[in-house]
Amino acid sequence: MSAIKDKMPERIAGSIKARREQLGLTLRALASRSGVSPSMISDVERGAKSPTIATLSALAEAMDIPLSALVESPARLSGRIHVVRASERLEVLHPGSGARRDTYKPTLAASKVEVIRLVVPARTEVGP
């Protein structure tokens, strides 16, 4: 099946944009994490350019998802189970409060659920 017939470029564009927005990242923030220019990310998300495997790999790694999540159809992903090992979890430490946020990845591209664990030290405040 050709890429034109199965709409692969649109699927990849949609997956990248959806995951970026799910993470709350701007184009510049994703560019900073991935090393891919903001203009290239924008072009890929709009379907104006086709990314190389190296570009897709950098974007997937920056968004903490497997490369396959960007190219597989959502229907194929919906029934999959992913085991997330401790070494694969993204841990973010808030410098001001010491709060720790663990994100259990990889989140499936077709899923609207993200599992996190937030640990707040005693007698501290976190958030707005």
Side-chain angles (χ1 to χ4, degrees), residues 34-114:
S34 67
V36 177
S37 73
S39 62
M40 179 61 172
I41 296 170
S42 175
D43 288 344
V44 170
E45 285 185 357
R46 289 182 290 112
K49 289 188 179 175
S50 293
T52 64
I53 291 292
T55 298
L56 284 178
S57 178
L59 291 171
E61 186 174 326
M63 294 187 291
D64 298 316
I65 56 174
L67 179 61
S68 61
L70 297 178
V71 295
E72 287 184 335
S73 69
R76 289 184 60 200
L77 290 173
S78 62
R80 298 178 103 179
I81 296 173
H82 289 278
V83 175
V84 181
R85 290 169 176 73
S87 63
E88 297 170 340
R89 281 187 243 149
L90 176 64
E91 183 179 295
V92 178
L93 187 62
H94 186 270
S97 66
R100 189 178 77 233
R101 179 181 187 220
D102 294 324
T103 304
Y104 294 82
K105 306 286 183 190
T107 301
L108 298 174
S111 176
K112 294 182 181 180
V113 176
E114 179 179 13

